[in-house]
Amino acid sequence: MINLWFFPLPPSPVGRLQHGNVSLRPFEKFDVSTIQSQGSDPSVAHWMISFPVPWPRWLARHRVMQARAAMARNEGFHFAIIAEDLPNRPMVGACSAAFIGDPSRPPELAYWIAPAFQRQGFARHALTVLLSFLFARDENLRAIEAAVIEGNEASTQLLLGLGFRYHEDERASAPLSWNRPKHEQVLLHRHRLWRTDWLNGECAHIVIDET
């Protein structure tokens, strides 16, 4: 069997996106250990449907390859969040937008911040950059969605602060890290950010450096 990990990653159509002391960049192979470590943290995995605890290394590699392949096809944007003003410019988390170009639904955000960097504004800053990028690149993009597992009040308040509105509820499989029976489900609160609300907000017109 051919191990695709040893081949170069697909080229990304997007480079580094930076505003202030936070930048977003495509995943690289050297991010595997960080993704594995952050994704394995129970406080992160608890609110992510597909995160097992612990993450096996092969899964972190697969996520990097999967993310870069989606970016190469313009089907998704997946970024490491970098703290530019901290020593060694660490990866503090990740954010993504999936279902790009899907005519049946809006793009959907996902994100996490490692525990050591939470409550420092990184999530809000990173999502502001990502949302600005998404709405600027597609003038026909009407809305963007994000789903929050019931009980994740911090994420709910983050989205509301960015201009999202509650949209609807749906059921989904319980997160892998919960070790619940396969049939058990959780309630997701879907929120939607409309283009008009974003353009009327205070974050809409920031300047993003793209390199």
Side-chain angles (χ1 to χ4, degrees), residues 19 29 58 81 99 108 148 153 179 209:
H19 175 261
K29 288 186 177 183
W58 70 262
I81 302 171
F99 308 110
E108 182 171 338
V148 179
E153 187 61 23
N179 295 317
D209 294 326

Side-chain angles (χ1 to χ4, degrees), residues 54-77:
W55 272 48
R57 190 170 182 82
W58 70 262
L59 180 58
R61 287 181 170 185
H62 177 72
R63 286 298 177 93
V64 170
M65 292 190 295
Q66 191 178 51
R68 288 293 292 267
M71 291 186 74
R73 296 192 300 266
N74 284 310
E75 295 176 354
F77 296 103

Side-chain angles (χ1 to χ4, degrees), residues 2 19 22 32 80 98 133 150 154 160 166 185:
I2 298 175
H19 175 261
V22 170
V32 164
F133 167 73
E150 186 176 39
L160 294 177
Y166 168 78
Q185 294 186 319

Side-chain angles (χ1 to χ4, degrees), residues 7-195:
F7 287 81
L9 293 172
S12 171
V14 182
R16 181 183 298 271
L17 307 175
Q18 183 170 351
H19 175 261
N21 63 351
V22 170
S23 69
L24 311 181
R25 61 158 174 77
F27 289 132
E28 300 290 350
K29 288 186 177 183
F30 55 73
D31 292 320
V32 164
S33 294
T34 303
I35 292 172
Q36 183 182 16
S37 173
Q38 293 181 0
S40 294
D41 189 286
S43 65
V44 171
H46 186 81
W47 301 114
M48 308 295 284
I49 295 291
S50 62
F51 283 24
V53 174
W55 272 48
R57 190 170 182 82
W58 70 262
L59 180 58
R61 287 181 170 185
H62 177 72
R63 286 298 177 93
V64 170
M65 292 190 295
Q66 191 178 51
R68 288 293 292 267
M71 291 186 74
R73 296 192 300 266
N74 284 310
E75 295 176 354
F77 296 103
H78 306 266
F79 297 103
I81 302 171
I82 307 301
E84 295 286 347
D85 62 341
L86 294 183
N88 300 317
R89 299 169 56 243
M91 174 180 166
V92 301
C95 61
S96 65
F99 308 110
I100 300 297
D102 187 334
S104 67
R105 57 172 299 164
E108 182 171 338
L109 301 187
Y111 45 88
W112 83 76
I113 299 294
F117 303 104
Q118 291 175 4
R119 297 178 178 84
Q120 299 177 46
F122 287 117
R124 178 180 175 84
H125 200 154
L127 291 187
T128 299
V129 173
L130 180 56
L131 290 166
S132 296
F133 167 73
L134 293 171
F135 280 118
R137 71 175 292 275
D138 184 357
E139 295 181 352
N140 296 314
L141 179 59
R142 297 180 59 243
I144 296 171
E145 285 193 355
V148 179
I149 297 174
E150 186 176 39
N152 190 350
E153 187 61 23
S155 192
T156 297
Q157 292 305 314
L158 169 64
L159 295 175
L160 294 177
L162 288 167
F164 282 77
R165 304 182 193 180
Y166 168 78
H167 182 59
E168 63 184 3
D169 286 345
E170 69 176 41
R171 294 281 177 177
S173 298
L176 293 176
S177 66
W178 293 16
N179 295 317
R180 301 288 178 82
K182 290 185 177 180
H183 65 273
E184 188 166 330
Q185 294 186 319
V186 295
L187 186 64
L188 295 182
H189 301 308
R190 285 203 165 273
H191 295 75
R192 183 170 286 187
L193 175 61
W194 295 96
R195 184 183 192 90

